Amino acid sequence: MDRRSFLVRGAGAVALSGTLAGGYAATALAGPSRTNAETKREAKAKAPGELLWAADLSAAKDSSEAGFGNVQVQYGGGDIENDGPPMPVVDHPELGRALKITLEENQERYEAAPGAGDDCGEGQELFFRVDFALDKDFPVDQENPFCLVNQIHHGGNDGSPPIEFDVNSGKLSVRGAGDAYTKELGPIAVDTVCKLVYRVRFSADPASSLLEVWLDDKQVLADFQPPCATLIDGNSYWKGATMYCDPSIPPLTVFQNAHRVGTTYESVTA
């Protein structure tokens, strides 16, 4: 998947402050000589940090009006189609204003580009957030691990992302680069709001990479260094609003909101 083909098309999104391509305020950290304790102290010292971008669904009727850009759709292993229909914004009983992301039978992709996190390079560190609820039609107990509700995509066109959050066997898991690693994060159910926040330090070196995850304000993964690294084939990028899975799994629907990118945990959760 080419980063430019995903992000450049469609309506432009507006960042709250700074830009991510060559000049934003995210922190570049040193390599493997820095200890986990030092990293945690630095993250705490930077609080509340800077919110770089947040989708605004309050008065929007679709993803384009909410600040997202290009929309991609794909069916049954076919070509990826750019400039797809924007995701509708609806009133969800638990989430409030939310994107309704529905995959039809044999559809595998429906994704909307965010307004930040589009060019994450060596040593940069960012926090990402998305809240979501699986609709009652979501096959939460299906066993195929290829069932993504969010991801950080690698720079190349082929292969699997270094960070993807999957729903299968009644659990939410994070895995990377195919089977390089898999970490179960916790149980998941339909019609239940899940607040997902994760911290990524981007590096082509696994020893300098970092992934930490919070579910519903509880840290469920700490000090994890993905063995595949967080940069593969160039800079990585966040896919924003995402539902991407094996085409044999749909039909299904997921609702998402609170898409945010910031420099600290506090900046995306305040």
Side-chain angles (χ1 to χ4, degrees), residues 49-267:
E50 185 178 10
L51 178 62
L52 300 173
W53 180 80
D56 182 5
L57 278 62
S58 59
K61 68 179 181 182
D62 57 35
S63 57
S64 178
E65 291 186 2
F68 291 89
N70 181 42
V71 173
Q72 289 188 330
V73 295
Q74 185 180 16
Y75 291 85
D79 293 338
I80 297 173
E81 302 172 20
N82 289 294
D83 299 322
M87 298 170 178
V89 176
V90 300
D91 290 313
H92 187 271
E94 302 296 333
L95 283 171
R97 301 288 287 169
L99 296 174
K100 182 179 182 181
I101 308 174
T102 297
L103 268 59
E104 304 169 351
E105 186 173 352
N106 197 45
Q107 184 176 356
E108 62 183 281
R109 184 191 305 269
Y110 196 10
E111 298 177 304
D118 60 337
D119 193 19
C120 305
E122 183 70 41
Q124 293 173 345
E125 183 175 324
L126 291 171
F127 288 73
F128 303 88
R129 174 181 173 181
V130 58
D131 297 359
F132 66 91
L134 309 178
D135 199 20
K136 62 178 66 70
D137 71 342
F138 201 104
V140 67
D141 292 321
Q142 65 84 29
E143 298 181 352
N144 192 326
F146 175 23
C147 189
L148 284 69
V149 293
N150 214 246
Q151 65 167 310
I152 299 291
H153 203 282
H154 56 295
N157 296 332
D158 301 312
S160 298
I163 300 172
E164 62 178 72
F165 293 89
D166 296 284
V167 175
N168 68 295
S169 303
K171 298 181 177 66
L172 180 67
S173 301
V174 61
R175 66 185 184 126
D179 59 358
Y181 71 90
T182 300
K183 296 287 185 180
E184 291 187 359
L185 302 175
I188 194 165
V190 299
D191 289 332
T192 302
V193 173
C194 179
K195 176 182 176 182
L196 172 64
V197 177
Y198 56 104
R199 172 190 184 186
V200 182
R201 186 189 306 148
F202 293 93
S203 178
D205 179 3
S208 298
S209 298
L210 178 69
L211 172 63
E212 298 190 316
V213 182
W214 291 258
L215 285 181
D216 301 323
D217 301 312
K218 177 182 178 181
Q219 189 164 17
V220 293
L221 185 65
D223 303 326
F224 179 63
Q225 294 176 310
C228 59
T230 49
L231 293 181
I232 302 173
D233 298 331
N235 287 0
S236 292
Y237 60 104
W238 184 39
K239 292 302 278 291
T242 296
M243 188 63 229
Y244 177 40
C245 66
D246 188 287
S248 67
I249 299 175
L252 57 81
T253 298
V254 60
F255 299 91
Q256 296 185 359
N257 71 3
H259 300 83
R260 301 175 186 175
V261 183
T263 60
T264 63
Y265 180 88
E266 289 77 10
S267 69

Side-chain angles (χ1 to χ4, degrees), residues 29-52:
L29 298 181
S33 62
R34 191 174 300 275
T35 67
N36 290 329
E38 289 172 331
T39 300
K40 288 182 176 180
R41 284 196 296 270
E42 288 193 5
K44 184 176 181 180
K46 291 194 289 290
E50 185 178 10
L51 178 62
L52 300 173

